[in-house]
Amino acid sequence: MGILEILGVAGSLSLLAGWRLYLTIFATGIAMHFGWLPLPEHLKALQILANPWVFGIAGVGTLAEFLADKVAWVDTAWDTIHSIVRPLGGALLALALVDSSDPAWQVVAFLLGGGGALLSHGAKATTRAVVNVSPEPFSNAAVSTGEDVATTGLLALAIAYPPLAIVIAILLLVAAVIVIIVLRRLLRKIKATLKRALGDEPAESALPPL
């Protein structure tokens, strides 16, 4: 596997970990453990995820995240707690894919993996902050389920077809940047509208200009 494919798989795993760290570990580990997803030789470093203890603990985390992520504001609290956990997990997943005898590439993979996971985590957290403002109760469950399905599908594609992984990583990266930019602007507008509605905006002087 070439360097672009390695970076693609590492980037895809890291970015997906920013959405669903536990699901990324659990789905990969259990698929390998039962032979549903045999790893090619160049990805044997991920075999540790097939350890029953590893994917068992990840499974507990997946269930907890699945439940927490469907409830408004609980999901925001969960995201806040995982602002460090997800980037660190994404960095370690990326680190597992590079040559352990090359310290330079290990540092690069660790930094890029952590940065990618932090970016996608930021996009996820921003999306939930906007969705939580919605008065209807079903948007959280719909968005969360979409993330579950997308994470599982893209993860399977990235591992099964490494040449596609770089495309997946680039698309996820671009999507995360766009989401953060657009939704942060939208969130600011929503906050300003709520302040005006609640009368928190400073009142303008009623005196005519001189």
Side-chain angles (χ1 to χ4, degrees), residues 89-136:
L92 292 176
L93 283 173
L95 190 62
L97 294 173
V98 300
D99 186 357
S100 59
S101 65
D102 191 339
W105 271 113
Q106 284 190 308
V107 172
V108 170
F110 187 83
L111 293 177
L112 291 180
L118 180 61
L119 184 64
S120 59
H121 166 76
K124 176 187 185 302
T126 304
T127 301
R128 291 316 180 83
V130 173
V131 171
N132 283 338
V133 179
S134 173
E136 49 81 25

mmCIF file of all heavy atoms in Angstrom, residues 89-136:
data_model
loop_
_atom_site.group_PDB
_atom_site.id
_atom_site.type_symbol
_atom_site.label_atom_id
_atom_site.label_comp_id
_atom_site.label_asym_id
_atom_site.label_seq_id
_atom_site.Cartn_x
_atom_site.Cartn_y
_atom_site.Cartn_z
ATOM 1 N N GLY A 89 -8.200 9.531 20.396
ATOM 2 C CA GLY A 89 -8.488 8.237 19.778
ATOM 3 C C GLY A 89 -8.190 8.244 18.294
ATOM 4 O O GLY A 89 -7.628 7.280 17.747
ATOM 5 N N GLY A 90 -8.565 9.328 17.603
ATOM 6 C CA GLY A 90 -8.271 9.437 16.175
ATOM 7 C C GLY A 90 -6.783 9.450 15.906
ATOM 8 O O GLY A 90 -6.307 8.844 14.935
ATOM 9 N N ALA A 91 -6.017 10.116 16.767
ATOM 10 C CA ALA A 91 -4.563 10.165 16.610
ATOM 11 C C ALA A 91 -3.949 8.773 16.782
ATOM 12 O O ALA A 91 -3.054 8.372 16.025
ATOM 13 C CB ALA A 91 -3.967 11.137 17.626
ATOM 14 N N LEU A 92 -4.441 8.015 17.769
ATOM 15 C CA LEU A 92 -3.900 6.679 18.016
ATOM 16 C C LEU A 92 -4.264 5.709 16.891
ATOM 17 O O LEU A 92 -3.457 4.838 16.530
ATOM 18 C CB LEU A 92 -4.411 6.154 19.360
ATOM 19 C CG LEU A 92 -3.889 6.897 20.594
ATOM 20 C CD1 LEU A 92 -4.542 6.362 21.863
ATOM 21 C CD2 LEU A 92 -2.370 6.784 20.693
ATOM 22 N N LEU A 93 -5.461 5.848 16.330
ATOM 23 C CA LEU A 93 -5.839 4.999 15.202
ATOM 24 C C LEU A 93 -4.937 5.267 14.001
ATOM 25 O O LEU A 93 -4.499 4.341 13.313
ATOM 26 C CB LEU A 93 -7.304 5.253 14.822
ATOM 27 C CG LEU A 93 -8.364 4.623 15.723
ATOM 28 C CD1 LEU A 93 -9.754 5.116 15.329
ATOM 29 C CD2 LEU A 93 -8.302 3.099 15.648
ATOM 30 N N ALA A 94 -4.664 6.536 13.732
ATOM 31 C CA ALA A 94 -3.774 6.885 12.625
ATOM 32 C C ALA A 94 -2.362 6.372 12.889
ATOM 33 O O ALA A 94 -1.676 5.880 11.985
ATOM 34 C CB ALA A 94 -3.759 8.399 12.425
ATOM 35 N N LEU A 95 -1.928 6.457 14.139
ATOM 36 C CA LEU A 95 -0.584 6.017 14.509
ATOM 37 C C LEU A 95 -0.399 4.518 14.279
ATOM 38 O O LEU A 95 0.710 4.062 13.955
ATOM 39 C CB LEU A 95 -0.337 6.356 15.984
ATOM 40 C CG LEU A 95 1.088 6.189 16.519
ATOM 41 C CD1 LEU A 95 2.042 7.114 15.778
ATOM 42 C CD2 LEU A 95 1.115 6.497 18.007
ATOM 43 N N ALA A 96 -1.484 3.747 14.434
ATOM 44 C CA ALA A 96 -1.395 2.294 14.275
ATOM 45 C C ALA A 96 -1.114 1.880 12.840
ATOM 46 O O ALA A 96 -0.710 0.742 12.592
ATOM 47 C CB ALA A 96 -2.693 1.639 14.746
ATOM 48 N N LEU A 97 -1.317 2.786 11.888
ATOM 49 C CA LEU A 97 -1.193 2.428 10.479
ATOM 50 C C LEU A 97 0.176 2.712 9.876
ATOM 51 O O LEU A 97 0.464 2.279 8.764
ATOM 52 C CB LEU A 97 -2.249 3.177 9.658
ATOM 53 C CG LEU A 97 -3.696 2.787 9.936
ATOM 54 C CD1 LEU A 97 -4.641 3.714 9.194
ATOM 55 C CD2 LEU A 97 -3.956 1.349 9.526
ATOM 56 N N VAL A 98 1.011 3.459 10.575
ATOM 57 C CA VAL A 98 2.291 3.843 9.986
ATOM 58 C C VAL A 98 3.406 2.936 10.475
ATOM 59 O O VAL A 98 3.266 2.232 11.478
ATOM 60 C CB VAL A 98 2.634 5.319 10.300
ATOM 61 C CG1 VAL A 98 1.568 6.242 9.757
ATOM 62 C CG2 VAL A 98 2.794 5.537 11.800
ATOM 63 N N ASP A 99 4.511 2.973 9.767
ATOM 64 C CA ASP A 99 5.672 2.151 10.086
ATOM 65 C C ASP A 99 6.243 2.559 11.448
ATOM 66 O O ASP A 99 6.666 3.705 11.635
ATOM 67 C CB ASP A 99 6.722 2.327 8.989
ATOM 68 C CG ASP A 99 7.906 1.392 9.178
ATOM 69 O OD1 ASP A 99 7.936 0.644 10.183
ATOM 70 O OD2 ASP A 99 8.806 1.409 8.317
ATOM 71 N N SER A 100 6.251 1.619 12.382
ATOM 72 C CA SER A 100 6.722 1.926 13.732
ATOM 73 C C SER A 100 8.223 2.206 13.780
ATOM 74 O O SER A 100 8.729 2.729 14.784
ATOM 75 C CB SER A 100 6.392 0.765 14.680
ATOM 76 O OG SER A 100 7.000 -0.438 14.222
ATOM 77 N N SER A 101 8.947 1.872 12.712
ATOM 78 C CA SER A 101 10.388 2.119 12.690
ATOM 79 C C SER A 101 10.732 3.508 12.160
ATOM 80 O O SER A 101 11.903 3.863 12.076
ATOM 81 C CB SER A 101 11.090 1.059 11.825
ATOM 82 O OG SER A 101 10.678 1.172 10.469
ATOM 83 N N ASP A 102 9.725 4.269 11.787
ATOM 84 C CA ASP A 102 9.942 5.605 11.236
ATOM 85 C C ASP A 102 9.315 6.642 12.167
ATOM 86 O O ASP A 102 8.128 6.963 12.040
ATOM 87 C CB ASP A 102 9.330 5.701 9.835
ATOM 88 C CG ASP A 102 9.746 6.971 9.112
ATOM 89 O OD1 ASP A 102 10.158 7.936 9.787
ATOM 90 O OD2 ASP A 102 9.673 7.007 7.871
ATOM 91 N N PRO A 103 10.072 7.183 13.117
ATOM 92 C CA PRO A 103 9.520 8.131 14.093
ATOM 93 C C PRO A 103 8.921 9.371 13.451
ATOM 94 O O PRO A 103 7.940 9.918 13.964
ATOM 95 C CB PRO A 103 10.737 8.493 14.960
ATOM 96 C CG PRO A 103 11.682 7.357 14.781
ATOM 97 C CD PRO A 103 11.484 6.885 13.385
ATOM 98 N N ALA A 104 9.502 9.817 12.344
ATOM 99 C CA ALA A 104 9.000 11.034 11.690
ATOM 100 C C ALA A 104 7.566 10.843 11.214
ATOM 101 O O ALA A 104 6.691 11.682 11.464
ATOM 102 C CB ALA A 104 9.899 11.421 10.525
ATOM 103 N N TRP A 105 7.317 9.708 10.552
ATOM 104 C CA TRP A 105 5.965 9.444 10.069
ATOM 105 C C TRP A 105 4.999 9.174 11.216
ATOM 106 O O TRP A 105 3.808 9.463 11.111
ATOM 107 C CB TRP A 105 5.961 8.270 9.091
ATOM 108 C CG TRP A 105 6.183 8.692 7.686
ATOM 109 C CD1 TRP A 105 7.265 8.428 6.897
ATOM 110 C CD2 TRP A 105 5.307 9.499 6.889
ATOM 111 N NE1 TRP A 105 7.121 9.018 5.672
ATOM 112 C CE2 TRP A 105 5.925 9.679 5.634
ATOM 113 C CE3 TRP A 105 4.068 10.085 7.128
ATOM 114 C CZ2 TRP A 105 5.345 10.416 4.613
ATOM 115 C CZ3 TRP A 105 3.485 10.829 6.112
ATOM 116 C CH2 TRP A 105 4.122 10.982 4.868
ATOM 117 N N GLN A 106 5.509 8.623 12.298
ATOM 118 C CA GLN A 106 4.651 8.409 13.467
ATOM 119 C C GLN A 106 4.159 9.743 14.025
ATOM 120 O O GLN A 106 2.986 9.883 14.370
ATOM 121 C CB GLN A 106 5.413 7.646 14.545
ATOM 122 C CG GLN A 106 5.566 6.160 14.257
ATOM 123 C CD GLN A 106 6.108 5.417 15.463
ATOM 124 O OE1 GLN A 106 7.128 5.794 16.038
ATOM 125 N NE2 GLN A 106 5.423 4.361 15.862
ATOM 126 N N VAL A 107 5.051 10.722 14.117
ATOM 127 C CA VAL A 107 4.662 12.045 14.610
ATOM 128 C C VAL A 107 3.669 12.693 13.657
ATOM 129 O O VAL A 107 2.651 13.268 14.085
ATOM 130 C CB VAL A 107 5.905 12.944 14.787
ATOM 131 C CG1 VAL A 107 5.485 14.378 15.120
ATOM 132 C CG2 VAL A 107 6.811 12.394 15.880
ATOM 133 N N VAL A 108 3.951 12.595 12.349
ATOM 134 C CA VAL A 108 3.052 13.178 11.340
ATOM 135 C C VAL A 108 1.670 12.545 11.439
ATOM 136 O O VAL A 108 0.643 13.241 11.437
ATOM 137 C CB VAL A 108 3.636 12.991 9.928
ATOM 138 C CG1 VAL A 108 2.591 13.359 8.868
ATOM 139 C CG2 VAL A 108 4.882 13.851 9.747
ATOM 140 N N ALA A 109 1.625 11.209 11.519
ATOM 141 C CA ALA A 109 0.339 10.502 11.590
ATOM 142 C C ALA A 109 -0.419 10.881 12.857
ATOM 143 O O ALA A 109 -1.643 11.082 12.827
ATOM 144 C CB ALA A 109 0.571 8.994 11.549
ATOM 145 N N PHE A 110 0.304 10.971 13.975
ATOM 146 C CA PHE A 110 -0.336 11.314 15.249
ATOM 147 C C PHE A 110 -0.957 12.706 15.189
ATOM 148 O O PHE A 110 -2.111 12.911 15.585
ATOM 149 C CB PHE A 110 0.690 11.243 16.380
ATOM 150 C CG PHE A 110 0.099 11.414 17.752
ATOM 151 C CD1 PHE A 110 -0.466 10.338 18.408
ATOM 152 C CD2 PHE A 110 0.103 12.658 18.375
ATOM 153 C CE1 PHE A 110 -1.015 10.484 19.673
ATOM 154 C CE2 PHE A 110 -0.450 12.815 19.635
ATOM 155 C CZ PHE A 110 -1.012 11.727 20.290
ATOM 156 N N LEU A 111 -0.215 13.685 14.662
ATOM 157 C CA LEU A 111 -0.706 15.058 14.586
ATOM 158 C C LEU A 111 -1.856 15.190 13.598
ATOM 159 O O LEU A 111 -2.881 15.829 13.894
ATOM 160 C CB LEU A 111 0.433 16.000 14.197
ATOM 161 C CG LEU A 111 1.560 16.159 15.234
ATOM 162 C CD1 LEU A 111 2.663 17.049 14.691
ATOM 163 C CD2 LEU A 111 1.020 16.716 16.540
ATOM 164 N N LEU A 112 -1.708 14.576 12.413
ATOM 165 C CA LEU A 112 -2.769 14.665 11.410
ATOM 166 C C LEU A 112 -4.016 13.912 11.864
ATOM 167 O O LEU A 112 -5.143 14.374 11.644
ATOM 168 C CB LEU A 112 -2.272 14.114 10.068
ATOM 169 C CG LEU A 112 -1.201 14.944 9.345
ATOM 170 C CD1 LEU A 112 -0.818 14.272 8.033
ATOM 171 C CD2 LEU A 112 -1.695 16.363 9.084
ATOM 172 N N GLY A 113 -3.817 12.749 12.490
ATOM 173 C CA GLY A 113 -4.964 11.985 12.977
ATOM 174 C C GLY A 113 -5.719 12.723 14.060
ATOM 175 O O GLY A 113 -6.950 12.798 14.039
ATOM 176 N N GLY A 114 -4.980 13.306 15.007
ATOM 177 C CA GLY A 114 -5.633 14.076 16.061
ATOM 178 C C GLY A 114 -6.313 15.312 15.515
ATOM 179 O O GLY A 114 -7.429 15.655 15.925
ATOM 180 N N GLY A 115 -5.663 15.996 14.577
ATOM 181 C CA GLY A 115 -6.259 17.191 13.984
ATOM 182 C C GLY A 115 -7.511 16.881 13.191
ATOM 183 O O GLY A 115 -8.508 17.611 13.270
ATOM 184 N N GLY A 116 -7.466 15.775 12.418
ATOM 185 C CA GLY A 116 -8.651 15.386 11.649
ATOM 186 C C GLY A 116 -9.824 15.031 12.536
ATOM 187 O O GLY A 116 -10.965 15.438 12.279
ATOM 188 N N ALA A 117 -9.555 14.269 13.601
ATOM 189 C CA ALA A 117 -10.627 13.896 14.528
ATOM 190 C C ALA A 117 -11.193 15.119 15.235
ATOM 191 O O ALA A 117 -12.406 15.225 15.453
ATOM 192 C CB ALA A 117 -10.099 12.884 15.551
ATOM 193 N N LEU A 118 -10.317 16.066 15.602
ATOM 194 C CA LEU A 118 -10.778 17.287 16.257
ATOM 195 C C LEU A 118 -11.661 18.108 15.321
ATOM 196 O O LEU A 118 -12.685 18.670 15.746
ATOM 197 C CB LEU A 118 -9.575 18.117 16.713
ATOM 198 C CG LEU A 118 -9.898 19.439 17.422
ATOM 199 C CD1 LEU A 118 -10.690 19.180 18.701
ATOM 200 C CD2 LEU A 118 -8.613 20.200 17.732
ATOM 201 N N LEU A 119 -11.283 18.156 14.038
ATOM 202 C CA LEU A 119 -12.062 18.913 13.065
ATOM 203 C C LEU A 119 -13.456 18.320 12.873
ATOM 204 O O LEU A 119 -14.468 19.031 12.906
ATOM 205 C CB LEU A 119 -11.322 18.960 11.728
ATOM 206 C CG LEU A 119 -11.967 19.793 10.617
ATOM 207 C CD1 LEU A 119 -12.016 21.264 11.000
ATOM 208 C CD2 LEU A 119 -11.197 19.618 9.308
ATOM 209 N N SER A 120 -13.523 17.002 12.671
ATOM 210 C CA SER A 120 -14.834 16.379 12.479
ATOM 211 C C SER A 120 -15.657 16.414 13.762
ATOM 212 O O SER A 120 -16.876 16.546 13.723
ATOM 213 C CB SER A 120 -14.672 14.932 11.982
ATOM 214 O OG SER A 120 -13.931 14.155 12.903
ATOM 215 N N HIS A 121 -14.995 16.311 14.910
ATOM 216 C CA HIS A 121 -15.696 16.462 16.188
ATOM 217 C C HIS A 121 -16.302 17.864 16.289
ATOM 218 O O HIS A 121 -17.441 18.031 16.748
ATOM 219 C CB HIS A 121 -14.741 16.223 17.353
ATOM 220 C CG HIS A 121 -15.277 16.677 18.677
ATOM 221 N ND1 HIS A 121 -16.237 15.974 19.374
ATOM 222 C CD2 HIS A 121 -15.006 17.780 19.425
ATOM 223 C CE1 HIS A 121 -16.532 16.622 20.498
ATOM 224 N NE2 HIS A 121 -15.801 17.715 20.544
ATOM 225 N N GLY A 122 -15.543 18.873 15.878
ATOM 226 C CA GLY A 122 -16.062 20.236 15.899
ATOM 227 C C GLY A 122 -17.271 20.406 15.008
ATOM 228 O O GLY A 122 -18.242 21.084 15.373
ATOM 229 N N ALA A 123 -17.233 19.780 13.823
ATOM 230 C CA ALA A 123 -18.378 19.850 12.908
ATOM 231 C C ALA A 123 -19.597 19.167 13.520
ATOM 232 O O ALA A 123 -20.725 19.670 13.431
ATOM 233 C CB ALA A 123 -18.023 19.195 11.576
ATOM 234 N N LYS A 124 -19.381 18.016 14.165
ATOM 235 C CA LYS A 124 -20.480 17.286 14.796
ATOM 236 C C LYS A 124 -21.089 18.103 15.938
ATOM 237 O O LYS A 124 -22.317 18.232 16.039
ATOM 238 C CB LYS A 124 -19.977 15.952 15.332
ATOM 239 C CG LYS A 124 -21.019 15.139 16.089
ATOM 240 C CD LYS A 124 -20.390 13.925 16.734
ATOM 241 C CE LYS A 124 -21.445 13.046 17.377
ATOM 242 N NZ LYS A 124 -22.241 13.745 18.401
ATOM 243 N N ALA A 125 -20.225 18.647 16.793
ATOM 244 C CA ALA A 125 -20.709 19.405 17.942
ATOM 245 C C ALA A 125 -21.456 20.664 17.495
ATOM 246 O O ALA A 125 -22.475 21.036 18.090
ATOM 247 C CB ALA A 125 -19.535 19.776 18.848
ATOM 248 N N THR A 126 -20.955 21.319 16.446
ATOM 249 C CA THR A 126 -21.625 22.514 15.933
ATOM 250 C C THR A 126 -22.992 22.165 15.353
ATOM 251 O O THR A 126 -23.979 22.883 15.563
ATOM 252 C CB THR A 126 -20.770 23.196 14.855
ATOM 253 O OG1 THR A 126 -19.473 23.495 15.384
ATOM 254 C CG2 THR A 126 -21.414 24.495 14.382
ATOM 255 N N THR A 127 -23.051 21.058 14.625
ATOM 256 C CA THR A 127 -24.328 20.606 14.056
ATOM 257 C C THR A 127 -25.351 20.367 15.160
ATOM 258 O O THR A 127 -26.507 20.787 15.067
ATOM 259 C CB THR A 127 -24.135 19.307 13.254
ATOM 260 O OG1 THR A 127 -23.196 19.543 12.205
ATOM 261 C CG2 THR A 127 -25.453 18.835 12.661
ATOM 262 N N ARG A 128 -24.922 19.703 16.236
ATOM 263 C CA ARG A 128 -25.853 19.411 17.329
ATOM 264 C C ARG A 128 -26.302 20.671 18.052
ATOM 265 O O ARG A 128 -27.431 20.762 18.522
ATOM 266 C CB ARG A 128 -25.208 18.441 18.301
ATOM 267 C CG ARG A 128 -25.027 17.067 17.713
ATOM 268 C CD ARG A 128 -26.299 16.651 16.952
ATOM 269 N NE ARG A 128 -26.174 15.361 16.376
ATOM 270 C CZ ARG A 128 -26.380 14.231 17.039
ATOM 271 N NH1 ARG A 128 -26.734 14.254 18.295
ATOM 272 N NH2 ARG A 128 -26.250 13.089 16.413
ATOM 273 N N ALA A 129 -25.412 21.645 18.163
ATOM 274 C CA ALA A 129 -25.800 22.902 18.815
ATOM 275 C C ALA A 129 -26.915 23.592 18.041
ATOM 276 O O ALA A 129 -27.838 24.174 18.625
ATOM 277 C CB ALA A 129 -24.592 23.825 18.931
ATOM 278 N N VAL A 130 -26.858 23.505 16.700
ATOM 279 C CA VAL A 130 -27.903 24.095 15.867
ATOM 280 C C VAL A 130 -29.182 23.269 15.939
ATOM 281 O O VAL A 130 -30.286 23.800 16.082
ATOM 282 C CB VAL A 130 -27.429 24.224 14.405
ATOM 283 C CG1 VAL A 130 -28.572 24.670 13.499
ATOM 284 C CG2 VAL A 130 -26.270 25.217 14.310
ATOM 285 N N VAL A 131 -29.036 21.938 15.851
ATOM 286 C CA VAL A 131 -30.206 21.051 15.877
ATOM 287 C C VAL A 131 -30.950 21.168 17.203
ATOM 288 O O VAL A 131 -32.186 21.115 17.247
ATOM 289 C CB VAL A 131 -29.778 19.590 15.625
ATOM 290 C CG1 VAL A 131 -30.944 18.633 15.866
ATOM 291 C CG2 VAL A 131 -29.260 19.426 14.206
ATOM 292 N N ASN A 132 -30.227 21.366 18.292
ATOM 293 C CA ASN A 132 -30.863 21.441 19.611
ATOM 294 C C ASN A 132 -31.769 22.654 19.761
ATOM 295 O O ASN A 132 -32.628 22.679 20.650
ATOM 296 C CB ASN A 132 -29.796 21.457 20.715
ATOM 297 C CG ASN A 132 -29.207 20.082 20.959
ATOM 298 O OD1 ASN A 132 -29.815 19.067 20.638
ATOM 299 N ND2 ASN A 132 -28.008 20.047 21.508
ATOM 300 N N VAL A 133 -31.567 23.658 18.920
ATOM 301 C CA VAL A 133 -32.429 24.837 18.974
ATOM 302 C C VAL A 133 -33.802 24.538 18.378
ATOM 303 O O VAL A 133 -34.794 25.202 18.698
ATOM 304 C CB VAL A 133 -31.756 26.017 18.229
ATOM 305 C CG1 VAL A 133 -32.638 27.252 18.245
ATOM 306 C CG2 VAL A 133 -30.413 26.335 18.865
ATOM 307 N N SER A 134 -33.870 23.513 17.536
ATOM 308 C CA SER A 134 -35.135 23.161 16.895
ATOM 309 C C SER A 134 -36.163 22.718 17.936
ATOM 310 O O SER A 134 -35.845 21.930 18.829
ATOM 311 C CB SER A 134 -34.908 22.032 15.883
ATOM 312 O OG SER A 134 -36.134 21.574 15.362
ATOM 313 N N PRO A 135 -37.413 23.200 17.832
ATOM 314 C CA PRO A 135 -38.419 22.864 18.848
ATOM 315 C C PRO A 135 -38.969 21.447 18.729
ATOM 316 O O PRO A 135 -39.478 20.898 19.707
ATOM 317 C CB PRO A 135 -39.527 23.898 18.588
ATOM 318 C CG PRO A 135 -39.381 24.238 17.138
ATOM 319 C CD PRO A 135 -37.909 24.178 16.844
ATOM 320 N N GLU A 136 -38.857 20.841 17.548
ATOM 321 C CA GLU A 136 -39.444 19.495 17.414
ATOM 322 C C GLU A 136 -38.465 18.441 17.958
ATOM 323 O O GLU A 136 -37.256 18.643 17.952
ATOM 324 C CB GLU A 136 -39.840 19.216 15.958
ATOM 325 C CG GLU A 136 -38.777 19.518 14.924
ATOM 326 C CD GLU A 136 -37.761 18.413 14.807
ATOM 327 O OE1 GLU A 136 -38.102 17.271 15.129
ATOM 328 O OE2 GLU A 136 -36.629 18.701 14.408
#
